[in-house]
Amino acid sequence: MSGSIKDRVAIVGMGCTRFGELWDKSASDLVVDAAYEAFEDAGVEPKDIQAAWVGASYDISAKTGMGLTAPLRLQGIPVTRIENACATGTDTFRNACYAVAAGIYDIVLALGVEKIKDMGFSGLGVGYYPGVSNTQPMLTAPGAFAMLATRYFEKYGLTYEEGKRALGAISVKSHANGSLNPQAHFQNKVTLEQVVNAPIIAEPLGLFDCCGVSDGAAAAIITRAELAKNFRPDPVYVKALQISVSADYGRVSTSYDFTEIKETYIAGQRAYEEAGIKNPREEISMAEVHDCFSITELVTMEDLQFSPRGRAREDIESGFFNLDGGLPVQPDGGLKCFGHPVGASGLRMLYEMYLQLQGRAEKRQIKNPRLGLTHNLGGQPGGCTISVCIVGLK
């Protein structure tokens, strides 16, 4: 690896709106709410921001940076709009961090926002994929990830009932965590029986195996590491930022395995190397991963090397990923409880890591966390973009 972001930049302020069906809020309202919480948290004013990055998958301002500058009245500063599917929020943060690490700016804003509920979507669309032939199937998101589940069950010898209960335990855990979070879209606990008996969306995935559509925004103030303690005594340092993008071979090859996401493994490996991590299961304190579907979380546990191949089910059912387990996953409730306003999700995950590391997560607080990991998957198995971010204390 030719260069590293490790300990070169720090987060000194963050903000996050409540996620949900926010009929009384515009995208501009969400930008203002998230940004001003971050400004106050960092002890800065809008005039202190030297540059900004805004992430949005759907259009909020003719695909320019004005979706950020107009509501915040940031006249004339450089703003870049980022779009990278479900990794949009994390890639927005990544680009802002790199500009600070390069020495171009001392203090910048990264903000992700999405206002989807007003569009009438009941679920995210299929999206456009670059064609390498005319053979790609057109799949809904639930259909594509359902194949991940059925193939995983077959490869590792799980009966349908065993697989359903393993996936169900993931949703039960995330809803238990989300019930402790006043900013979550869904704050209700569910039982395993409710989950496994819920209406089927795409066999074997039922209603509680799928995340919802939501509105929300989250923001971060980033500065150089050597300046961070001028703003606050407990800055959170960036340890690794990695993106891995598929060449889409998996969507046109009949040999695609459908039991792992290779791009997640690659991004995770690079992130561990960048952060100096040898044993992620032991060294990562907590994680927020892209649980668009419960099977995505299960497979990601193996791709990120939290569990051995084929054995994530054992860790899920033993409670290893619960809030009081060895490696808590989705401590804020995850996409299952926050829904997925695409541009905001990555920064929302980072917000939870930030609060946990500073000991400010209240009822969800994890004991003595040192390193937190976030992960996003944009696209579908076989054709996707992956982000992995690791943050921690010095």
Side-chain angles (χ1 to χ4, degrees):
M1 186 174 293
S2 58
S4 171
I5 194 74
K6 183 180 179 183
D7 291 333
R8 295 174 65 180
V9 302
I11 309 167
V12 292
M14 289 203 77
C16 184
T17 68
R18 184 174 69 84
F19 281 33
E21 297 182 351
L22 307 180
W23 306 113
D24 59 337
K25 296 277 188 178
S26 67
S28 294
D29 293 329
L30 298 175
V31 167
V32 169
D33 290 349
Y36 270 82
E37 182 187 341
F39 294 153
E40 182 177 348
D41 190 46
V44 303
E45 299 180 21
K47 65 179 177 58
D48 298 320
I49 302 299
Q50 298 168 340
W53 283 256
V54 57
S57 187
Y58 295 91
D59 194 14
I60 56 171
S61 56
K63 298 190 175 181
T64 71
M66 288 188 293
L68 187 77
T69 56
L72 296 178
R73 299 293 186 262
L74 294 174
Q75 176 65 25
I77 71 165
V79 178
T80 303
R81 180 182 182 273
I82 302 290
E83 180 181 337
N84 202 352
C86 302
T88 294
T90 302
D91 211 2
T92 300
F93 177 73
R94 171 177 167 266
N95 277 268
C97 287
Y98 280 5
V100 174
I104 308 301
Y105 304 109
D106 287 338
I107 184 163
V108 305
L109 168 67
L111 187 146
V113 59
E114 214 75 73
K115 191 76 174 70
I116 298 178
K117 294 302 294 186
D118 295 352
M119 297 179 183
F121 291 171
S122 58
L124 299 181
V126 172
Y128 169 77
Y129 287 85
V132 294
S133 74
N134 293 319
T135 61
Q136 298 97 323
M138 292 300 291
L139 290 170
T140 64
F145 285 91
M147 291 199 297
L148 202 64
T150 52
R151 173 68 180 125
Y152 187 95
F153 294 176
E154 188 273 337
K155 181 172 180 175
Y156 293 110
L158 276 66
T159 65
Y160 179 85
E161 289 73 21
E162 289 171 337
K164 283 285 290 181
R165 294 184 78 82
L167 298 183
I170 293 171
S171 299
V172 170
K173 173 264 299 173
S174 293
H175 272 270
N177 296 350
S179 73
L180 303 175
N181 195 328
Q183 289 174 289
H185 186 159
F186 301 107
Q187 300 175 28
N188 58 308
K189 293 182 179 179
V190 295
T191 67
L192 186 57
E193 296 309 311
Q194 280 179 286
V195 175
V196 298
N197 293 317
I200 291 295
I201 302 299
E203 192 84 45
L205 304 180
L207 180 65
F208 291 103
D209 292 306
C210 311
C211 83
V213 173
S214 190
D215 302 328
I221 306 292
I222 303 148
T223 189
R224 289 191 282 125
E226 58 268 34
L227 301 177
K229 291 203 172 177
N230 295 340
F231 295 89
R232 62 183 312 128
D234 53 356
V236 169
Y237 297 88
V238 177
K239 307 293 183 179
L241 283 169
Q242 292 293 329
I243 297 280
S244 175
V245 180
S246 163
D248 207 25
Y249 294 130
R251 289 174 18 91
V252 295
S253 170
T254 55
S255 64
Y256 186 71
D257 182 69
F258 271 100
T259 61
E260 59 182 305
I261 306 293
K262 292 185 185 302
E263 295 78 10
T264 291
Y265 177 80
I266 293 168
Q269 274 295 104
R270 290 177 182 161
Y272 299 144
E273 181 183 350
E274 187 170 28
I277 292 171
K278 305 296 183 188
N279 184 341
R281 181 181 172 95
E282 296 295 328
E283 295 178 65
I284 297 293
S285 308
M286 57 191 170
E288 288 278 338
V289 305
H290 201 85
D291 57 328
C292 51
F293 300 93
S294 52
I295 183 62
T296 321
E297 180 171 325
L298 183 151
V299 169
T300 300
M301 297 301 94
E302 298 179 7
D303 291 336
L304 290 175
Q305 303 172 64
F306 294 163
S307 299
R309 289 284 177 205
R311 298 179 60 183
R313 175 191 170 205
E314 297 171 27
D315 285 331
I316 291 164
E317 294 183 338
S318 73
F320 184 69
F321 299 124
N322 290 357
L323 204 53
D324 59 354
L327 200 173
V329 173
Q330 328 293 41
D332 72 354
L335 295 179
K336 273 296 294 125
C337 291
F338 272 79
H340 186 22
V342 179
S345 290
L347 279 153
R348 182 271 299 164
M349 294 172 167
L350 196 58
Y351 180 75
E352 177 69 7
M353 300 293 95
Y354 177 79
L355 293 180
Q356 291 280 357
L357 287 164
Q358 294 174 335
R360 297 197 287 158
E362 299 181 344
K363 294 179 181 177
R364 309 180 310 282
Q365 184 62 48
I366 295 165
K367 187 177 180 182
N368 299 323
R370 301 295 301 172
L371 291 173
L373 180 149
T374 69
H375 157 271
N376 293 104
L377 186 161
Q380 298 178 353
C384 57
T385 181
I386 301 292
S387 65
V388 172
C389 173
I390 299 174
V391 293
L393 305 172
K394 265 203 170 177

